[in-house]
Amino acid sequence: MNPGFIAMVTTDKVLLNDWHPVATSKECQINSINRVRLLEEDLVLWRGSNVESTIQVWQDRCPHRGVRLSLGKVVNDSLVCGYHGWQYNLDGQCFYIPANPQQKPPTGARVRTYQCQERYGLVWVCLGEPTKDVAAFPEWDDADYRQVLMGPYNCNSSPFRTFENGFDVSHFCFAHEGFVGDSQQAQIEDYEVEVDRDGIIVRNLKMWQPDHDGTGVGGKVTYLQRICPLTLYSVKHTCRGRMIFFFTVTPVEEEKCLVWMWVAMNYGDETPDSKLREFQDKLFRQDTVLLESHRPVRLPLVSQKSTSADYPTEVHAQCDRTSIAYRRWLKDLGVTFGVC
């Protein structure tokens, strides 16, 4: 990562030093430019002259006059600013100024660059210094499973509120009744929650679902969940086989996020991808209405009254054990972005 202009990026080291998906690899074609936003930082993604070229992730700002580099173009594995034509090499350093071709560009004409990698068909970015790798998704390379990408979905809510919704199965019975829940069979049996330094593991979480996955088959299912700050790896055991959810939330802003979800299944080949996507799209539309109604918008990490008398303490039940463990874990980590 190069220095350059210092933007108003969050100081939350947990999120700065983690990997976040910002685009699909397919979006980043040869000589392409993409504009994205992560942790309130505007970024430009660009790829050079061949598909094997490493995707570059830079701050979306030309050091010359501060315009967006995403308004420029890619020429011969360099990024050209669309305002004055200044050209930047793969290190983010300006090497050519068209108006003064004999002048050696100032050393300060250097764009802030960030680390990125492509994994699971997505482009992952770290704005700080990564402390670990992208979360594991073993079924990605397993020939017994097919993988279908859902989203990305936009949500005007805290990234952590949105992420918590992903592993909170007790809301299925009411928000998604007739699909993955039934209000007449809403009981959640006791389950196991284990917390370690890498996250939270939930075992033996059981519930009844009228339709497991959009294929029209229902029954009792059992979940195994592995929860990291904003990535969930979940295994759902059904009467037909295993359904894997690799669910991750991109923290765009403190009250705005993107949701990505890979679904991997070792059954149900007769159901087209389009039908599976239609099913998940419907579920997320139902979630969005509720997620964007949260007050406070940001996820409370401790059980105390809000500064506003309008929003009393959130109360918890036994079925909320995972959420309670998650909120305590985030507080212990020192998370400050998108929480209260």
Side-chain angles (χ1 to χ4, degrees), residues 304-326:
Q304 62 183 16
K305 288 189 176 181
S306 168
T307 54
S308 169
D310 294 333
Y311 310 128
T313 303
E314 291 190 356
V315 295
H316 308 285
Q318 185 176 345
C319 63
D320 298 318
R321 290 177 57 203
T322 307
S323 294
I324 296 168
Y326 178 63

PDB file of all heavy atoms in Angstrom, residues 304-326:
ATOM      1  N   GLN A 304     -27.641  -1.704  26.811  1.00  0.00           N
ATOM      2  CA  GLN A 304     -27.858  -0.464  27.535  1.00  0.00           C
ATOM      3  C   GLN A 304     -28.790   0.413  26.725  1.00  0.00           C
ATOM      4  O   GLN A 304     -28.972   0.193  25.535  1.00  0.00           O
ATOM      5  CB  GLN A 304     -26.532   0.265  27.782  1.00  0.00           C
ATOM      6  CG  GLN A 304     -25.822   0.676  26.492  1.00  0.00           C
ATOM      7  CD  GLN A 304     -24.481   1.335  26.761  1.00  0.00           C
ATOM      8  OE1 GLN A 304     -23.963   1.231  27.844  1.00  0.00           O
ATOM      9  NE2 GLN A 304     -23.957   2.010  25.771  1.00  0.00           N
ATOM     10  N   LYS A 305     -29.386   1.409  27.360  1.00  0.00           N
ATOM     11  CA  LYS A 305     -30.342   2.260  26.671  1.00  0.00           C
ATOM     12  C   LYS A 305     -29.653   3.153  25.647  1.00  0.00           C
ATOM     13  O   LYS A 305     -28.547   3.611  25.843  1.00  0.00           O
ATOM     14  CB  LYS A 305     -31.112   3.122  27.672  1.00  0.00           C
ATOM     15  CG  LYS A 305     -32.131   2.339  28.502  1.00  0.00           C
ATOM     16  CD  LYS A 305     -33.001   3.269  29.315  1.00  0.00           C
ATOM     17  CE  LYS A 305     -34.060   2.473  30.064  1.00  0.00           C
ATOM     18  NZ  LYS A 305     -34.954   3.359  30.847  1.00  0.00           N
ATOM     19  N   SER A 306     -30.350   3.376  24.557  1.00  0.00           N
ATOM     20  CA  SER A 306     -29.867   4.306  23.545  1.00  0.00           C
ATOM     21  C   SER A 306     -29.873   5.713  24.111  1.00  0.00           C
ATOM     22  O   SER A 306     -30.516   6.016  25.113  1.00  0.00           O
ATOM     23  CB  SER A 306     -30.777   4.237  22.316  1.00  0.00           C
ATOM     24  OG  SER A 306     -30.518   5.288  21.439  1.00  0.00           O
ATOM     25  N   THR A 307     -29.151   6.614  23.454  1.00  0.00           N
ATOM     26  CA  THR A 307     -29.153   8.011  23.877  1.00  0.00           C
ATOM     27  C   THR A 307     -30.509   8.651  23.612  1.00  0.00           C
ATOM     28  O   THR A 307     -30.832   9.689  24.150  1.00  0.00           O
ATOM     29  CB  THR A 307     -28.072   8.797  23.120  1.00  0.00           C
ATOM     30  OG1 THR A 307     -28.269   8.607  21.708  1.00  0.00           O
ATOM     31  CG2 THR A 307     -26.687   8.294  23.499  1.00  0.00           C
ATOM     32  N   SER A 308     -31.303   8.009  22.755  1.00  0.00           N
ATOM     33  CA  SER A 308     -32.653   8.509  22.485  1.00  0.00           C
ATOM     34  C   SER A 308     -33.655   7.719  23.306  1.00  0.00           C
ATOM     35  O   SER A 308     -33.618   6.495  23.362  1.00  0.00           O
ATOM     36  CB  SER A 308     -32.988   8.379  20.988  1.00  0.00           C
ATOM     37  OG  SER A 308     -34.363   8.615  20.778  1.00  0.00           O
ATOM     38  N   ALA A 309     -34.573   8.425  23.969  1.00  0.00           N
ATOM     39  CA  ALA A 309     -35.589   7.758  24.778  1.00  0.00           C
ATOM     40  C   ALA A 309     -36.559   6.966  23.919  1.00  0.00           C
ATOM     41  O   ALA A 309     -37.326   6.141  24.425  1.00  0.00           O
ATOM     42  CB  ALA A 309     -36.348   8.795  25.599  1.00  0.00           C
ATOM     43  N   ASP A 310     -36.518   7.186  22.609  1.00  0.00           N
ATOM     44  CA  ASP A 310     -37.444   6.496  21.712  1.00  0.00           C
ATOM     45  C   ASP A 310     -37.077   5.032  21.516  1.00  0.00           C
ATOM     46  O   ASP A 310     -37.905   4.229  21.107  1.00  0.00           O
ATOM     47  CB  ASP A 310     -37.472   7.181  20.343  1.00  0.00           C
ATOM     48  CG  ASP A 310     -38.047   8.587  20.419  1.00  0.00           C
ATOM     49  OD1 ASP A 310     -38.858   8.832  21.327  1.00  0.00           O
ATOM     50  OD2 ASP A 310     -37.677   9.415  19.581  1.00  0.00           O
ATOM     51  N   TYR A 311     -35.821   4.685  21.779  1.00  0.00           N
ATOM     52  CA  TYR A 311     -35.360   3.347  21.459  1.00  0.00           C
ATOM     53  C   TYR A 311     -34.827   2.669  22.717  1.00  0.00           C
ATOM     54  O   TYR A 311     -33.665   2.838  23.082  1.00  0.00           O
ATOM     55  CB  TYR A 311     -34.279   3.398  20.376  1.00  0.00           C
ATOM     56  CG  TYR A 311     -34.681   4.220  19.193  1.00  0.00           C
ATOM     57  CD1 TYR A 311     -33.866   5.227  18.712  1.00  0.00           C
ATOM     58  CD2 TYR A 311     -35.908   4.005  18.562  1.00  0.00           C
ATOM     59  CE1 TYR A 311     -34.246   5.997  17.632  1.00  0.00           C
ATOM     60  CE2 TYR A 311     -36.292   4.770  17.485  1.00  0.00           C
ATOM     61  CZ  TYR A 311     -35.463   5.767  17.024  1.00  0.00           C
ATOM     62  OH  TYR A 311     -35.843   6.524  15.952  1.00  0.00           O
ATOM     63  N   PRO A 312     -35.664   1.910  23.418  1.00  0.00           N
ATOM     64  CA  PRO A 312     -35.235   1.268  24.653  1.00  0.00           C
ATOM     65  C   PRO A 312     -34.261   0.125  24.388  1.00  0.00           C
ATOM     66  O   PRO A 312     -33.991  -0.228  23.248  1.00  0.00           O
ATOM     67  CB  PRO A 312     -36.546   0.749  25.233  1.00  0.00           C
ATOM     68  CG  PRO A 312     -37.415   0.514  24.039  1.00  0.00           C
ATOM     69  CD  PRO A 312     -37.054   1.600  23.066  1.00  0.00           C
ATOM     70  N   THR A 313     -33.772  -0.433  25.453  1.00  0.00           N
ATOM     71  CA  THR A 313     -32.841  -1.544  25.368  1.00  0.00           C
ATOM     72  C   THR A 313     -33.430  -2.689  24.544  1.00  0.00           C
ATOM     73  O   THR A 313     -34.596  -3.004  24.656  1.00  0.00           O
ATOM     74  CB  THR A 313     -32.536  -2.061  26.792  1.00  0.00           C
ATOM     75  OG1 THR A 313     -32.031  -0.990  27.572  1.00  0.00           O
ATOM     76  CG2 THR A 313     -31.542  -3.195  26.755  1.00  0.00           C
ATOM     77  N   GLU A 314     -32.597  -3.303  23.730  1.00  0.00           N
ATOM     78  CA  GLU A 314     -33.027  -4.517  23.047  1.00  0.00           C
ATOM     79  C   GLU A 314     -32.999  -5.662  24.052  1.00  0.00           C
ATOM     80  O   GLU A 314     -32.034  -5.809  24.807  1.00  0.00           O
ATOM     81  CB  GLU A 314     -32.100  -4.821  21.860  1.00  0.00           C
ATOM     82  CG  GLU A 314     -32.229  -3.832  20.737  1.00  0.00           C
ATOM     83  CD  GLU A 314     -31.500  -4.276  19.481  1.00  0.00           C
ATOM     84  OE1 GLU A 314     -30.831  -5.319  19.502  1.00  0.00           O
ATOM     85  OE2 GLU A 314     -31.610  -3.559  18.481  1.00  0.00           O
ATOM     86  N   VAL A 315     -34.032  -6.445  24.061  1.00  0.00           N
ATOM     87  CA  VAL A 315     -34.103  -7.580  24.982  1.00  0.00           C
ATOM     88  C   VAL A 315     -33.845  -8.864  24.207  1.00  0.00           C
ATOM     89  O   VAL A 315     -34.002  -8.909  22.988  1.00  0.00           O
ATOM     90  CB  VAL A 315     -35.465  -7.636  25.698  1.00  0.00           C
ATOM     91  CG1 VAL A 315     -35.651  -6.431  26.586  1.00  0.00           C
ATOM     92  CG2 VAL A 315     -36.607  -7.736  24.688  1.00  0.00           C
ATOM     93  N   HIS A 316     -33.453  -9.905  24.923  1.00  0.00           N
ATOM     94  CA  HIS A 316     -33.035 -11.138  24.268  1.00  0.00           C
ATOM     95  C   HIS A 316     -33.757 -12.347  24.850  1.00  0.00           C
ATOM     96  O   HIS A 316     -34.208 -12.323  25.998  1.00  0.00           O
ATOM     97  CB  HIS A 316     -31.524 -11.329  24.423  1.00  0.00           C
ATOM     98  CG  HIS A 316     -30.720 -10.144  23.992  1.00  0.00           C
ATOM     99  ND1 HIS A 316     -30.520  -9.816  22.666  1.00  0.00           N
ATOM    100  CD2 HIS A 316     -30.091  -9.172  24.712  1.00  0.00           C
ATOM    101  CE1 HIS A 316     -29.789  -8.718  22.594  1.00  0.00           C
ATOM    102  NE2 HIS A 316     -29.529  -8.307  23.818  1.00  0.00           N
ATOM    103  N   ALA A 317     -33.837 -13.401  24.049  1.00  0.00           N
ATOM    104  CA  ALA A 317     -34.404 -14.676  24.480  1.00  0.00           C
ATOM    105  C   ALA A 317     -33.355 -15.762  24.280  1.00  0.00           C
ATOM    106  O   ALA A 317     -32.291 -15.527  23.686  1.00  0.00           O
ATOM    107  CB  ALA A 317     -35.661 -14.990  23.671  1.00  0.00           C
ATOM    108  N   GLN A 318     -33.663 -16.954  24.736  1.00  0.00           N
ATOM    109  CA  GLN A 318     -32.698 -18.053  24.644  1.00  0.00           C
ATOM    110  C   GLN A 318     -32.291 -18.337  23.200  1.00  0.00           C
ATOM    111  O   GLN A 318     -31.148 -18.680  22.924  1.00  0.00           O
ATOM    112  CB  GLN A 318     -33.282 -19.315  25.277  1.00  0.00           C
ATOM    113  CG  GLN A 318     -32.304 -20.487  25.326  1.00  0.00           C
ATOM    114  CD  GLN A 318     -32.883 -21.687  26.055  1.00  0.00           C
ATOM    115  OE1 GLN A 318     -33.879 -21.563  26.750  1.00  0.00           O
ATOM    116  NE2 GLN A 318     -32.265 -22.846  25.892  1.00  0.00           N
ATOM    117  N   CYS A 319     -33.233 -18.170  22.273  1.00  0.00           N
ATOM    118  CA  CYS A 319     -32.932 -18.442  20.868  1.00  0.00           C
ATOM    119  C   CYS A 319     -31.932 -17.446  20.279  1.00  0.00           C
ATOM    120  O   CYS A 319     -31.414 -17.662  19.181  1.00  0.00           O
ATOM    121  CB  CYS A 319     -34.214 -18.436  20.042  1.00  0.00           C
ATOM    122  SG  CYS A 319     -35.066 -16.849  20.000  1.00  0.00           S
ATOM    123  N   ASP A 320     -31.656 -16.339  21.024  1.00  0.00           N
ATOM    124  CA  ASP A 320     -30.736 -15.304  20.547  1.00  0.00           C
ATOM    125  C   ASP A 320     -29.301 -15.539  21.012  1.00  0.00           C
ATOM    126  O   ASP A 320     -28.473 -14.621  20.951  1.00  0.00           O
ATOM    127  CB  ASP A 320     -31.194 -13.924  21.038  1.00  0.00           C
ATOM    128  CG  ASP A 320     -32.564 -13.536  20.523  1.00  0.00           C
ATOM    129  OD1 ASP A 320     -32.831 -13.777  19.330  1.00  0.00           O
ATOM    130  OD2 ASP A 320     -33.366 -12.995  21.307  1.00  0.00           O
ATOM    131  N   ARG A 321     -28.983 -16.733  21.457  1.00  0.00           N
ATOM    132  CA  ARG A 321     -27.662 -16.995  22.011  1.00  0.00           C
ATOM    133  C   ARG A 321     -26.549 -16.665  21.033  1.00  0.00           C
ATOM    134  O   ARG A 321     -25.503 -16.149  21.424  1.00  0.00           O
ATOM    135  CB  ARG A 321     -27.561 -18.461  22.439  1.00  0.00           C
ATOM    136  CG  ARG A 321     -28.405 -18.803  23.659  1.00  0.00           C
ATOM    137  CD  ARG A 321     -28.313 -20.297  23.968  1.00  0.00           C
ATOM    138  NE  ARG A 321     -26.933 -20.690  24.177  1.00  0.00           N
ATOM    139  CZ  ARG A 321     -26.488 -21.941  24.033  1.00  0.00           C
ATOM    140  NH1 ARG A 321     -27.330 -22.890  23.637  1.00  0.00           N
ATOM    141  NH2 ARG A 321     -25.229 -22.240  24.246  1.00  0.00           N
ATOM    142  N   THR A 322     -26.763 -16.962  19.761  1.00  0.00           N
ATOM    143  CA  THR A 322     -25.717 -16.681  18.774  1.00  0.00           C
ATOM    144  C   THR A 322     -25.512 -15.177  18.616  1.00  0.00           C
ATOM    145  O   THR A 322     -24.373 -14.695  18.580  1.00  0.00           O
ATOM    146  CB  THR A 322     -26.078 -17.300  17.413  1.00  0.00           C
ATOM    147  OG1 THR A 322     -26.382 -18.679  17.578  1.00  0.00           O
ATOM    148  CG2 THR A 322     -24.920 -17.152  16.443  1.00  0.00           C
ATOM    149  N   SER A 323     -26.603 -14.430  18.544  1.00  0.00           N
ATOM    150  CA  SER A 323     -26.502 -12.976  18.402  1.00  0.00           C
ATOM    151  C   SER A 323     -25.813 -12.346  19.604  1.00  0.00           C
ATOM    152  O   SER A 323     -24.990 -11.433  19.462  1.00  0.00           O
ATOM    153  CB  SER A 323     -27.895 -12.354  18.224  1.00  0.00           C
ATOM    154  OG  SER A 323     -28.469 -12.757  17.006  1.00  0.00           O
ATOM    155  N   ILE A 324     -26.141 -12.812  20.797  1.00  0.00           N
ATOM    156  CA  ILE A 324     -25.516 -12.280  22.001  1.00  0.00           C
ATOM    157  C   ILE A 324     -24.016 -12.553  21.985  1.00  0.00           C
ATOM    158  O   ILE A 324     -23.200 -11.666  22.270  1.00  0.00           O
ATOM    159  CB  ILE A 324     -26.168 -12.899  23.256  1.00  0.00           C
ATOM    160  CG1 ILE A 324     -27.641 -12.488  23.356  1.00  0.00           C
ATOM    161  CG2 ILE A 324     -25.423 -12.473  24.524  1.00  0.00           C
ATOM    162  CD1 ILE A 324     -28.421 -13.270  24.393  1.00  0.00           C
ATOM    163  N   ALA A 325     -23.643 -13.782  21.631  1.00  0.00           N
ATOM    164  CA  ALA A 325     -22.227 -14.132  21.555  1.00  0.00           C
ATOM    165  C   ALA A 325     -21.518 -13.298  20.500  1.00  0.00           C
ATOM    166  O   ALA A 325     -20.382 -12.842  20.709  1.00  0.00           O
ATOM    167  CB  ALA A 325     -22.080 -15.622  21.237  1.00  0.00           C
ATOM    168  N   TYR A 326     -22.181 -13.074  19.374  1.00  0.00           N
ATOM    169  CA  TYR A 326     -21.585 -12.285  18.279  1.00  0.00           C
ATOM    170  C   TYR A 326     -21.349 -10.842  18.720  1.00  0.00           C
ATOM    171  O   TYR A 326     -20.269 -10.277  18.495  1.00  0.00           O
ATOM    172  CB  TYR A 326     -22.526 -12.337  17.076  1.00  0.00           C
ATOM    173  CG  TYR A 326     -22.088 -11.532  15.878  1.00  0.00           C
ATOM    174  CD1 TYR A 326     -20.914 -11.837  15.204  1.00  0.00           C
ATOM    175  CD2 TYR A 326     -22.868 -10.474  15.409  1.00  0.00           C
ATOM    176  CE1 TYR A 326     -20.517 -11.113  14.083  1.00  0.00           C
ATOM    177  CE2 TYR A 326     -22.483  -9.748  14.289  1.00  0.00           C
ATOM    178  CZ  TYR A 326     -21.307 -10.069  13.636  1.00  0.00           C
ATOM    179  OH  TYR A 326     -20.920  -9.341  12.539  1.00  0.00           O
TER     180      TYR A 326
END
